[in-house]
Amino acid sequence: MSQTTRLTDGRKSFEVKKYTFATEVIPRLSCHDPECEERIANGLPVVIPDVNLVASARHWNIDYLHDNIGDGKFMTYFSSSKKFKYYDDKKCPNVKSFKKPMEQEELTFDDFVQKINKGKSKGQRCYLQQTLNETVGKNIVSDFLGFNWNWVTAQQKKNSFGPLTNNMLLIGQEGNITPVHYDEQENFFAQVYGYKRFILFPPEEFPNLYPHPTYHPCDRQSQVDFDNADFEKFPKFRNATGFETIVGPGDVLYIPIYWWHQVESIPIEGHTISVTFWYKGRPTPEKVTYPLNAHQKVAMMRNIEKMIAQALNNPDEVPEFMQNMVLGRYT
């Protein structure tokens, strides 16, 4: 029988699954609190409940979006399980034994809604992820323009983030899980509708989370399944220590670059709607400051791994080459 624990978004309490690793609660701080600013400046996660980043979209629900979002196509993922583990189609030939953990299809929003309703009876789950673009209707554009751009742009400038890359609209069913992974961008994650649980790990946890190789379709994803952790295969996972929180309507979670995160739509609480604000990381300084921080070391390791994979031009050779390199056999 699985154990549970209780978490709160500051307004209501939720019973969620308790995993094998220890966690601390991510602080919830006002956008006017200097500590909030310090955490963002220092690349530490923080939940901000009062910044009103997407207040103009708080009325968004499935029905409103259905009537106003337009006739564009939306990337929708399908999974026979509750988990949506992302993969790069272009890298699938690199691993002959790879089986796609989910399927994807571009749908109109009307088709997406129909798929959700049919999926409930067929046991198939859906997850929509699409950049908000020029195909959306005028009411959505008006809501979008009403976002608190002053605040988020000020954060971008103060922290020397690169340009905004996109605003992703995410719509998931209750119980959906995006397994633990990291992104190579800064992210202000704004919750519009429903509740999500976030479990985060700092870049220092890189060795304990066993990422797939860079040539693998699931690059940037952990090989560890939190529900069925294989400690014989991944012994260092016993040492993993994370942070977690619940985000609800109006909350913004700052997810620093290279921080691992697993995202779970809370069961029994209905569907979830979120909007991401993704920014490129800080530009490389002209003068490097030592010691390097954890995310710089991760970036360096992964880039070296990518270069080796490209140079060998044969994914089958990479594991042995990397092992021999570590052991010093090549001289």
Side-chain angles (χ1 to χ4, degrees):
M1 187 174 181
S2 62
Q3 293 183 315
T4 61
T5 186
R6 297 201 72 85
L7 292 174
T8 178
D9 73 333
R11 292 158 288 198
K12 59 187 295 188
S13 180
F14 302 87
E15 187 170 350
V16 295
K17 180 173 181 176
K18 183 176 177 62
Y19 292 109
T20 57
F21 47 83
T23 60
E24 296 179 25
V25 175
I26 297 172
R28 298 178 64 88
L29 300 171
S30 167
C31 62
H32 305 293
D33 190 327
E35 186 182 346
C36 176
E37 296 286 327
E38 288 176 14
R39 290 189 69 85
I40 297 173
N42 292 321
L44 297 173
V46 60
V47 180
I48 313 164
D50 60 353
V51 73
N52 294 322
L53 182 54
V54 292
S56 58
R58 287 286 300 277
H59 56 282
W60 287 6
N61 55 31
I62 294 291
D63 292 336
Y64 180 84
L65 292 174
H66 180 273
D67 294 340
N68 292 278
I69 204 162
D71 298 325
K73 293 292 185 75
F74 297 84
M75 183 58 70
T76 305
Y77 298 90
F78 302 92
S79 174
S80 57
S81 73
K82 62 185 178 180
K83 295 181 179 177
F84 290 77
K85 187 171 183 176
Y86 300 106
Y87 62 92
D88 185 342
D89 244 334
K90 296 177 182 177
K91 294 183 178 181
C92 288
N94 293 342
V95 182
K96 297 179 178 64
S97 61
F98 181 71
K99 295 181 179 179
K100 295 180 179 181
M102 59 183 181
E103 298 297 328
Q104 60 189 56
E105 183 180 356
E106 286 191 326
L107 302 173
T108 64
F109 201 84
D110 184 64
D111 288 339
F112 167 68
V113 173
Q114 291 185 41
K115 289 280 188 180
I116 288 180
N117 294 331
K118 290 180 181 177
K120 290 178 180 177
S121 59
K122 293 183 178 181
Q124 185 183 55
R125 290 177 174 268
C126 306
Y127 195 177
L128 182 150
Q129 290 203 358
Q130 177 65 43
T131 300
L132 289 169
N133 55 37
E134 67 279 356
T135 66
V136 301
K138 62 180 182 180
N139 288 336
I140 301 297
V141 172
S142 177
D143 297 336
F144 181 83
L145 293 175
F147 290 173
N148 189 352
W149 291 105
N150 288 338
W151 180 84
V152 75
T153 302
Q155 292 300 323
Q156 175 196 13
K157 291 179 179 178
K158 281 189 287 187
N159 295 288
S160 301
F161 296 161
L164 177 73
T165 59
N166 65 59
N167 295 102
M168 189 79 75
L169 173 67
L170 313 175
I171 305 178
Q173 293 172 277
E174 62 182 56
N176 282 3
I177 294 177
T178 303
V180 65
H181 65 286
Y182 69 87
D183 296 314
E184 296 173 322
Q185 298 189 75
E186 307 280 359
N187 186 4
F188 291 102
F189 188 99
Q191 190 64 7
V192 177
Y193 189 95
Y195 299 87
K196 285 187 172 180
R197 177 193 192 183
F198 276 82
I199 303 171
L200 273 65
F201 298 87
E204 289 87 346
E205 293 290 323
F206 183 90
N208 299 331
L209 292 171
Y210 296 89
H212 286 281
T214 57
Y215 61 80
H216 193 280
C218 293
D219 175 26
R220 296 188 294 105
Q221 319 282 320
S222 172
Q223 298 180 64
V224 182
D225 181 350
F226 285 4
D227 289 321
N228 300 286
D230 186 340
F231 292 111
E232 289 188 9
K233 189 174 182 180
F234 308 116
K236 292 182 181 179
F237 185 62
R238 292 184 185 277
N239 303 324
T241 302
F243 300 81
E244 63 180 320
T245 190
I246 299 285
V247 295
D251 287 340
V252 173
L253 171 63
Y254 168 55
I255 307 174
I257 190 170
Y258 284 100
W259 274 66
W260 298 82
H261 47 287
Q262 174 155 305
V263 191
E264 307 175 2
S265 293
I266 302 297
I268 315 174
E269 292 293 332
H271 67 272
T272 58
I273 299 175
S274 319
V275 176
T276 64
F277 293 72
W278 267 332
Y279 291 89
K280 287 189 175 181
R282 297 173 175 88
T284 304
E286 292 183 7
K287 185 177 180 181
V288 179
T289 302
Y290 293 97
L292 298 178
N293 63 39
H295 100 246
Q296 288 173 316
K297 292 177 182 178
V298 170
M300 185 168 62
M301 284 189 292
R302 296 301 264 181
N303 286 331
I304 291 171
E305 186 181 342
K306 288 176 186 177
M307 287 189 291
I308 289 172
Q310 290 171 356
L312 292 174
N313 198 31
N314 183 350
D316 294 337
E317 292 185 22
V318 175
E320 182 180 1
F321 183 92
M322 295 288 288
Q323 184 178 19
N324 288 337
M325 184 174 67
V326 171
L327 295 174
R329 290 181 183 170
Y330 288 124
T331 58

